[in-house]
């Protein structure tokens, strides 16, 4: 079993839809939970990160963490064509004094105008 | 945040040759990471490069295949040696910032 499981998609939605992206994990040592966005031919760009269970909102994006279920989600409201990208979940834990990160495989999202 | 650049952005190489990828950061950082991103796969950590010490390699990666240099606090190189088509991938450097990491734009490598 992989430490982090992410539905690879692809996911295709109409503009304005609410998008839900999800990851599950198995390692209870994970401390921080992140979402990266990666446009084609670009490096991953940090969108949001959170530490505790619950919701964290930033504009149209909401990150949700449920540590009891080992489940994290990213919601995108009013999705736009510019949101079309691959979304990577990532989780980190302290290893030797720095945060070591494990990534999901990414979900490819297409928002159709 | 940190601004990270990589060179080259892409390259096509013949099997058996080597390619050196450069990573430049706009601020001094103690630690830099090198990742590989293969199609349909998650990012895989190759090694951690600390300035002034030997790089630490993850399981499955060895120094002879992926030698790393870290001459100062803003620069690192990763060499992919004796390349085979299986080395075709995106190679990314990143730097830690507190709880997270910031990534460079990546180097797309195709080995024929």
């Amino acid at each position: 079993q992989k430490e982090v499981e992410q539905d690879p998609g692809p996911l295709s939605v109409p503009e304005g839809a609410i998008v839900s992206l999800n990851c599950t994990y198995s390692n209870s040592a994970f401390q921080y939970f992140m979402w990266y966005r990666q446009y084609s031919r670009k490096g991953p760009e940090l969108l949001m990160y959170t530490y505790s269970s619950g919701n964290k909102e930033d504009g149209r994006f909401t990150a949700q963490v449920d540590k009891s279920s080992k489940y994290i989600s990213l919601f995108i409201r009013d999705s736009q064509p510019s949101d079309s990208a691959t979304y990577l979940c990532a989780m980190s834990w302290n290893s030797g004094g720095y945060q070591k990160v494990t990534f999901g495989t990414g979900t490819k999202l297409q928002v159709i105008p | 945040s940190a601004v990270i650049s990589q060179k080259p952005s892409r390259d096509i190489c013949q099997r058996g040759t080597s390619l050196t990828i450069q990573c430049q950061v706009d601020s001094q950082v103690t630690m830099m990471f090198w990742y590989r991103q293969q199609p349909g796969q998650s990012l895989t950590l190759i090694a951690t490069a600390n300035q002034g010490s030997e790089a630490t390699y993850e399981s499955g990666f060895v120094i002879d295949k992926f030698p790393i240099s870290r001459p100062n606090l803003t620069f690192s190189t990763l060499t992919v040696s004796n390349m085979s088509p299986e080395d075709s991938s995106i190679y990314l450097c990143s730097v830690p910032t507190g709880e997270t990491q910031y990534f460079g734009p990546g180097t797309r490598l195709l080995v024929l």
Side-chain angles (χ1 to χ4, degrees), chain A:
Chain A
Q1 181 191 8
K2 291 182 181 178
E3 277 193 305
V4 178
E5 299 274 1
Q6 183 174 7
D7 185 345
L11 189 60
S12 184
V13 302
E15 182 175 354
I18 296 174
V19 176
S20 172
L21 305 168
N22 310 297
C23 287
T24 58
Y25 64 95
S26 58
N27 189 347
S28 299
F30 288 139
Q31 297 172 302
Y32 291 92
F33 304 89
M34 295 156 278
W35 286 95
Y36 285 83
R37 177 175 61 195
Q38 187 172 22
Y39 290 115
S40 181
R41 304 181 188 282
K42 301 284 187 182
E45 167 197 12
L46 180 66
L47 268 180
M48 299 179 70
Y49 76 94
T50 185
Y51 176 78
S52 56
S53 283
N55 294 348
K56 181 177 181 179
E57 195 172 312
D58 184 1
R60 296 185 295 110
F61 298 89
T62 299
Q64 185 177 81
V65 174
D66 182 346
K67 287 189 176 181
S68 62
S69 300
K70 294 188 176 67
Y71 188 89
I72 71 170
S73 299
L74 178 70
F75 297 97
I76 307 173
R77 291 186 301 279
D78 187 25
S79 56
Q80 302 295 309
S82 58
D83 295 327
S84 298
T86 296
Y87 290 80
L88 301 157
C89 65
M91 302 166 193
S92 70
W93 76 103
N94 190 288
S95 175
Y98 70 92
Q99 291 293 321
K100 199 161 186 179
V101 184
T102 297
F103 291 86
T105 52
T107 300
K108 189 169 185 177
L109 171 67
Q110 182 181 24
V111 181
I112 302 168

Side-chain angles (χ1 to χ4, degrees), chain B residues 4-111:
Chain B
I4 306 169
S5 59
Q6 285 185 237
K7 288 182 182 179
S9 59
R10 55 171 47 205
D11 208 341
I12 301 173
C13 301
Q14 297 297 318
R15 70 170 66 212
T17 63
S18 297
L19 176 72
T20 295
I21 302 167
Q22 299 178 8
C23 179
Q24 180 79 49
V25 187
D26 69 340
S27 56
Q28 293 184 335
V29 292
T30 305
M31 197 173 289
M32 293 175 77
F33 302 108
W34 285 98
Y35 285 86
R36 182 173 71 184
Q37 186 178 28
Q38 295 180 308
Q41 308 278 326
S42 57
L43 276 76
T44 303
L45 181 64
I46 297 171
T48 302
N50 284 318
Q51 197 272 332
S53 63
E54 293 289 326
T56 303
Y57 289 83
E58 298 298 306
S59 176
F61 298 96
V62 295
I63 188 170
D64 289 345
K65 176 67 176 177
F66 298 101
I68 288 171
S69 78
R70 185 77 205 276
N72 58 53
L73 291 172
T74 64
F75 187 80
S76 179
T77 67
L78 169 77
T79 299
V80 186
S81 303
N82 188 25
M83 288 184 286
S84 67
E86 292 71 37
D87 295 319
S88 298
S89 187
I90 300 172
Y91 292 86
L92 297 139
C93 65
S94 78
V95 299
T97 55
E99 302 81 15
T100 63
Q101 293 185 16
Y102 287 91
F103 285 85
T107 295
R108 287 179 173 268
L109 171 62
L110 176 64
V111 184

